[in-house]
Amino acid sequence: MTEANSPSVVFLSGDLMFASRVRGAAEQSGYQFRFGASLPEGDLSSVKFVIVDLATRSKLIPTIVSEVVNRCGGARLIAYAPHVQMDRIKAAREAGVPVVLTRGQLDGSLGTLFSDLPK
């Protein structure tokens, strides 16, 4: 498998500090890590997880569910926000994001999050 076709995690955020934690967990589980403000261009069939930081990328919520379905196949979509941003958490749930967590819940699950799905 080439790097472009390796299973990957796309992390959509503006938080470089937390991105390093997610990157470490993803790479430890054998995934390539992509960081950005929106889904990258090109073939995204190798993407297994798309994680959206609602604190910095909440404007993606109206379209992200359909974008992930159409461009990333069976990727697992996860959105998260600080526990004090309940309006963003609620909006993500209402938009159909299947997994919406607080930042603490996501952080606490990083040790096992990427081992849940076969690559």
Side-chain angles (χ1 to χ4, degrees):
M1 224 181 260
T2 66
E3 186 171 306
N5 293 330
S6 295
S8 62
V9 173
V10 174
F11 186 66
L12 306 178
S13 177
D15 184 344
L16 294 173
M17 297 295 287
F18 194 56
S20 68
R21 290 186 48 74
V22 177
R23 174 189 292 268
E27 290 177 348
Q28 185 173 4
S29 294
Y31 291 91
Q32 296 294 318
F33 182 82
R34 300 181 191 190
F35 177 79
S38 60
L39 286 176
E41 295 298 319
D43 180 17
L44 298 178
S45 61
S46 65
V47 173
K48 302 299 179 197
F49 292 86
V50 176
I51 301 173
V52 181
D53 176 356
L54 298 172
T56 64
R57 300 293 178 251
S58 64
K59 291 184 179 174
L60 297 175
I61 290 304
T63 60
I64 196 69
V65 174
S66 62
E67 252 192 291
V68 168
V69 168
N70 293 329
R71 297 191 57 216
C72 305
R76 186 171 181 192
L77 176 59
I78 301 168
Y80 75 95
H83 70 278
V84 296
Q85 294 182 351
M86 291 307 296
D87 56 330
R88 292 181 182 190
I89 290 171
K90 181 180 177 192
R93 287 184 178 134
E94 289 174 352
V97 176
V99 179
V100 184
L101 307 169
T102 65
R103 180 181 164 138
Q105 289 172 317
L106 179 63
D107 191 32
S109 71
L110 285 177
T112 58
L113 179 67
F114 302 115
S115 60
D116 289 347
L117 288 180
K119 292 178 205 62

